[in-house]
Amino acid sequence: MSESIGEKEVNVGGVLVSRDQVAVQEGTGAAASSSGVKAKEVHNAELYAAIQETKIDYKSRNSIHLYFSIFVAFCCACANGYDGSLLTGVVAMDHFQNTFHSGRTGTLVAIMFSLYTVGAMVGSPLAAILSDRWGRKVGMFIGAVVITVGMIIVSTAFAIAQFIVGRFVLGFGVSIMTVAAPAYTVEIAPPHWRGRATGFYNCGWFGGSIPAAAIVYGCNKIDNNYSWRIPLIVQALACIIVLFGVWFIPESPRFLMANGREEEAVAFLVKYHGNSDPHSRLVKLEVEEMKEGIRQDGIDKRPWDYRPFILSHSGRWRIAQVLMISIFGQFSGNGLGYFNTTIFEIIGVTSVEQQLAYNLLNSVLSAVGALTAVAFTDRMPRRKVLVFGTFACAVALATNSGLSAALDAQGDNIKNSYARGALASYFLFNIIFSFTYTPLQGVIPTEALETTTRAKGLATSSVLVYAMGFINQFAGPIALGNIQYRYIYVFVGWDVVETIMWYLFGVESQGRTLEQLEWVYNQPNPVKASLHVDKVIVQADGRVVEKIVTSNA
């Protein structure tokens, strides 16, 4: 490299990549009167202009390689989702009970569930250190190794103590993967693909949970210990893909830039974001902003330093977004899903076969809602989706609880129309929740955090997510047992509170690069700043020719 990237230009493979200004020319908008020219509102004029001039070929070999890289990260989420549907079915199997005599409820079962959560909470801070020091790829690889070890421990167990230790190891490994993988996904995606890429990653939960439910159901017909061992062994399938896949994917350019490997970072951007054109306007913009926004002496070099989240104005607002999406994403009524069969029984579905069928249908409908949202994530404003979507969740739950109250009053003479309405409103809630939260649970925290704090912030998010899951798993059955459908009222009220919180404190991150969000979070009121738009003049060919600036701008 002939010159530092901090100077005017950088040599990448013998080609000088210019770091000249990529600002859009300012004007009064007079050009809008020309034929074929139109005015448009965008969140950031420079990014919009760069995207318009850099049309990434989504069918190119480099783009397909980028898709594969995102798929490897997606498999990390699948490993987590698989466990979410695994143990409930396994514990119910006769051969499992004959081996461990744990019972289907009670203290031993609670320990088996909770040790996974405890392992994940313990592993999260260490996951941040791994990801920051050795890279996102290394984090995913080590997480896959640990999960594979955990799988071997639980699938070969004959004693309950060995099984419980294996559950802790599995949780520890999942936390490492799920800190590294979302950071990797958001950091490698082009700015205008970022929402879909990260949203798709988070839908990996369904990519694991639905196959797990099907495998457990199928293996239940096996009349020996392999009925429960096979589902546990298959848990490592996604990890095997990760173990081999990480050797064929590039490292995150932002991690490279933060660790002094600028030439490799720029080479990545040219190859995957610039159609292999070093003069791409999008590449120039990203290189300039990364160099300005990513510090090589940031807190990612200080493993246990979380102070910027508390001591700086920007840090407090950033971690507030992480806290809200992490808590609200686990405690908006979706935690009731752990007890779907109990919910179905409350609303009149008493057949075990029907309950299992409805449980599977609910998972499929939720996945459809989530994947639909993924398709539109890069075009939908995050804040509006969270405000209106959370309020819609409250309405759906209120409808469900109201109909459930009517069913309770009917006693044994249940009217089918009420039962069907309660069931439909519960399904509707899960579809709305999945549309609103599933993609954004991956998008919001990764966008809110800057490169040197991303792993630590995601580790914090992971601890919160598992802590809320822990509360759901222990408080849920007690509350449903004591007050039944009235427990849903708690979430109706809480979802209204969440709606207000998103309106007052939700920062819009759609339509900006990760580095441009630094300006937003440094403003006195980041919510107001995030809603600021630029007005640009766009030619018929899509090129931006002018940013309109008024006299009082």
Side-chain angles (χ1 to χ4, degrees):
M1 200 162 81
S2 62
E3 290 183 280
S4 164
I5 194 169
E7 299 172 17
K8 186 176 180 180
E9 48 194 14
V10 59
N11 188 317
V12 183
V15 178
L16 292 177
V17 179
S18 173
R19 290 191 66 252
D20 293 336
Q21 290 294 319
V22 288
V24 177
Q25 180 181 345
E26 297 181 349
T28 59
S33 58
S34 304
S35 177
V37 173
K38 62 180 181 180
K40 184 178 178 67
E41 287 190 348
V42 297
H43 279 98
N44 184 272
E46 285 70 30
L47 175 60
Y48 183 78
I51 291 171
Q52 292 301 105
E53 292 185 24
T54 308
K55 299 294 186 182
I56 301 175
D57 182 1
Y58 68 92
K59 295 181 291 185
S60 70
R61 186 170 181 172
N62 290 338
S63 290
I64 292 170
H65 189 201
L66 198 62
Y67 303 152
F68 175 72
S69 303
I70 293 168
F71 173 74
V72 171
F74 172 84
C75 288
C76 296
C78 289
N80 189 23
Y82 188 95
D83 195 89
S85 292
L86 178 65
L87 201 57
T88 301
V90 166
V91 167
M93 291 179 172
D94 291 335
H95 285 285
F96 182 89
Q97 289 301 323
N98 292 338
T99 302
F100 297 108
H101 308 287
S102 65
R104 289 170 173 79
T105 58
T107 305
L108 273 179
V109 174
I111 291 173
M112 281 190 277
F113 274 98
S114 63
L115 259 291
Y116 180 88
T117 302
V118 172
M121 294 173 69
V122 171
S124 293
L126 297 176
I129 295 172
L130 280 174
S131 187
D132 277 338
R133 182 168 296 179
W134 289 289
R136 315 316 193 197
K137 287 172 56 180
V138 170
M140 290 189 285
F141 181 83
I142 292 177
V145 170
V146 175
I147 292 173
T148 304
V149 171
M151 177 275 292
I152 293 170
I153 294 172
V154 295
S155 64
T156 60
F158 281 98
I160 195 70
Q162 179 179 336
F163 192 87
I164 290 172
V165 169
R167 293 291 297 163
F168 178 88
V169 174
L170 285 167
F172 194 96
V174 160
S175 70
I176 297 173
M177 290 180 88
T178 53
V179 167
Y184 178 78
T185 303
V186 78
E187 289 174 359
I188 68 169
H192 50 309
W193 294 7
R194 191 175 68 222
R196 281 167 291 173
T198 313
F200 174 72
Y201 157 79
N202 216 47
C203 286
W205 172 269
F206 296 111
S209 63
I210 294 175
I215 291 167
V216 169
Y217 179 79
C219 289
N220 191 44
K221 301 180 186 298
I222 300 173
D223 192 21
N224 56 50
N225 278 340
Y226 283 102
S227 62
W228 59 270
R229 292 192 193 276
I230 289 175
L232 296 174
I233 292 169
V234 176
Q235 185 165 17
L237 179 60
C239 297
I240 292 171
I241 297 173
V242 175
L243 287 172
F244 287 97
V246 292
W247 299 102
F248 301 98
I249 61 177
E251 183 54 271
S252 155
R254 287 173 170 83
F255 170 80
L256 295 171
M257 188 73 78
N259 287 274
R261 297 159 64 182
E262 295 114 340
E263 187 169 349
E264 293 175 68
V266 176
F268 175 99
L269 296 173
V270 170
K271 182 176 181 179
Y272 296 103
H273 294 191
N275 290 323
S276 298
D277 176 12
H279 305 293
S280 158
R281 185 167 184 168
L282 182 58
V283 171
K284 292 178 183 178
L285 176 67
E286 289 191 280
V287 168
E288 182 177 351
E289 291 188 340
M290 281 187 195
K291 190 57 184 176
E292 286 182 4
I294 298 176
R295 295 181 57 187
Q296 293 186 13
D297 61 347
I299 70 163
D300 54 327
K301 311 303 186 299
R302 302 189 294 277
W304 301 102
D305 187 359
Y306 285 73
R307 289 176 298 172
F309 292 135
I310 301 171
L311 300 180
S312 71
H313 171 79
S314 166
R316 288 191 294 272
W317 273 95
R318 288 179 184 274
I319 202 64
Q321 309 307 304
V322 175
L323 292 174
M324 288 195 295
I325 195 68
S326 301
I327 295 172
F328 299 170
Q330 296 298 314
F331 208 67
S332 297
N334 54 309
L336 295 168
Y338 289 112
F339 318 105
N340 276 342
T341 54
T342 304
I343 297 292
F344 295 148
E345 189 170 340
I346 287 172
I347 60 181
V349 180
T350 55
S351 162
V352 174
E353 187 174 346
Q354 270 189 311
Q355 289 175 357
L356 291 174
Y358 282 138
N359 190 42
L360 182 58
L361 176 61
N362 182 57
S363 295
V364 172
L365 290 174
S366 297
V368 170
L371 290 170
T372 302
V374 168
F376 297 100
T377 300
D378 284 310
R379 284 179 280 174
M380 296 189 301
R382 326 290 199 223
R383 182 171 173 271
K384 282 185 179 178
V385 168
L386 288 165
V387 170
F388 290 108
T390 305
F391 185 73
C393 285
V395 172
L397 283 178
T399 303
N400 175 266
S401 56
L403 289 169
S404 297
L407 287 169
D408 184 58
Q410 290 168 12
D412 294 331
N413 301 314
I414 291 177
K415 293 182 180 179
N416 287 335
S417 59
Y418 282 76
R420 286 195 293 269
L423 190 63
S425 61
Y426 183 62
F427 284 158
L428 180 62
F429 160 76
N430 282 287
I431 293 170
I432 295 169
F433 175 85
S434 297
F435 182 92
T436 303
Y437 277 94
T438 299
L440 295 184
Q441 280 178 296
V443 174
I444 296 296
T446 49
E447 288 184 336
L449 299 160
E450 53 91 12
T451 299
T452 62
T453 63
R454 188 164 290 120
K456 286 187 173 69
L458 290 175
T460 303
S461 173
S462 182
V463 170
L464 286 169
V465 165
Y466 286 112
M468 298 309 297
F470 188 87
I471 293 170
N472 278 325
Q473 289 170 13
F474 277 85
I478 296 170
L480 286 169
N482 290 337
I483 59 176
Q484 293 195 318
Y485 66 86
R486 298 173 188 84
Y487 183 46
I488 300 173
Y489 291 151
V490 173
F491 295 106
V492 175
W494 179 243
D495 283 356
V496 172
V497 173
E498 288 180 1
T499 301
I500 296 169
M501 294 284 284
W502 281 125
Y503 180 79
L504 294 176
F505 303 109
V507 174
E508 180 59 66
S509 55
Q510 190 258 347
R512 303 181 190 275
T513 67
L514 296 174
E515 286 69 40
Q516 286 166 1
L517 287 168
E518 180 68 22
W519 173 83
V520 171
Y521 283 107
N522 280 327
Q523 299 307 301
N525 186 343
V527 175
K528 183 178 179 181
S530 72
L531 301 178
H532 169 80
V533 294
D534 289 334
K535 293 182 179 179
V536 295
I537 303 300
V538 185
Q539 293 181 157
D541 63 1
R543 287 180 176 268
V544 176
V545 294
E546 187 179 313
K547 177 166 67 174
I548 300 174
V549 178
T550 57
S551 58
N552 59 350

